[in-house]
Amino acid sequence: MSFPGRSPACAGTVTILFLAAVMLLIGSPAVAALVITNVSFSPVPPLMGGDEQHAVMAIAVIPAGATTFSRTHTLQMQTSLTNARWSIQIMVDDIPAAQQPASGTSAFVNGYLLSYPTTSDVLLTVALDGTVPSGTNPNVTILQVTELDTSNQPVPGSSLMVIAPLITPLHGAVATPQGTVAIPAAAIPAPTRAGPFLADGLVASGAAIAGYGYTRSRR
């Protein structure tokens, strides 16, 4: 049986959902923003259940407070891939700072590994290998990243997801718009250095990014 859309021409059929919302209250700590700057897949989507998948995602940490990330918080990463194997590399000013392997559907990064002065650029490169699950769901979650507070509760507005279309026997491949970028006026800028991020009165904002290999430009 053949399925439509199973070709490299569909490299753009990956949806990156980015939700960034910062709630500023007097005396409350500022929350860092996570921005996906690059995504690559092998094989390229749409994906088929049972296939082995290799994905590499780069995530920039844009600070909103005195440091790039809260030392007391945790970064949680989850995937729907089965038998998942993780390799997480933290880069600071383009220099390798820490590397962390993991296995299973979840991986965690301690906040102190991401906490640096705001004059530093902090980037995570997440290499993920696993098996695409079979089912009738038209999409599969490759990566979901969430910041957890000191009570291990999700920080509001901190989650982002990378979702790829899945070929199913009933529905075939579900394509998404290619090369479409939607960023509202209040969206996060792309600085060369992770300096202070909109000091006071930042309005909660969200952006949905559809496309494959979207890259944040750095001067």
Side-chain angles (χ1 to χ4, degrees), residues 4-22:
R6 183 68 170 176
S7 68
C10 292
T13 60
V14 176
T15 300
I16 301 174
L17 299 181
F18 168 61
L19 176 60
V22 178

Side-chain angles (χ1 to χ4, degrees), residues 52-161:
E52 291 297 311
Q53 174 62 213
H54 174 73
V56 179
M57 291 142 289
I59 305 172
V61 181
I62 309 299
T67 60
T68 55
F69 196 88
S70 174
R71 293 175 62 89
T72 59
H73 286 192
T74 303
L75 198 63
Q76 179 189 58
M77 301 183 186
Q78 297 174 295
T79 183
S80 293
L81 298 178
T82 60
N83 302 315
R85 300 166 308 279
W86 306 74
S87 179
I88 304 167
Q89 176 70 65
I90 300 172
M91 305 288 292
V92 180
D93 295 333
D94 297 323
I95 300 174
Q99 188 171 20
Q100 180 175 316
S103 60
T105 56
S106 299
F108 299 87
V109 178
N110 288 327
Y112 72 87
L113 295 176
L114 304 172
S115 182
Y116 288 87
T118 56
T119 53
S120 300
D121 280 332
V122 178
L123 183 77
L124 293 92
T125 301
V126 180
L128 181 60
D129 292 274
T131 304
V132 179
S134 301
T136 58
N137 194 321
N139 297 304
V140 58
T141 300
I142 303 299
L143 177 69
Q144 180 173 351
V145 183
T146 305
E147 181 178 349
L148 304 181
D149 62 19
T150 54
S151 301
N152 288 325
Q153 297 300 311
V155 174
S158 68
S159 292
L160 57 84
M161 299 175 70

Side-chain angles (χ1 to χ4, degrees), residues 202-218:
L202 178 65
V203 178
S205 63
I209 302 174
Y212 173 74
Y214 172 75
T215 303
R216 178 178 66 124
S217 61
R218 298 175 62 184

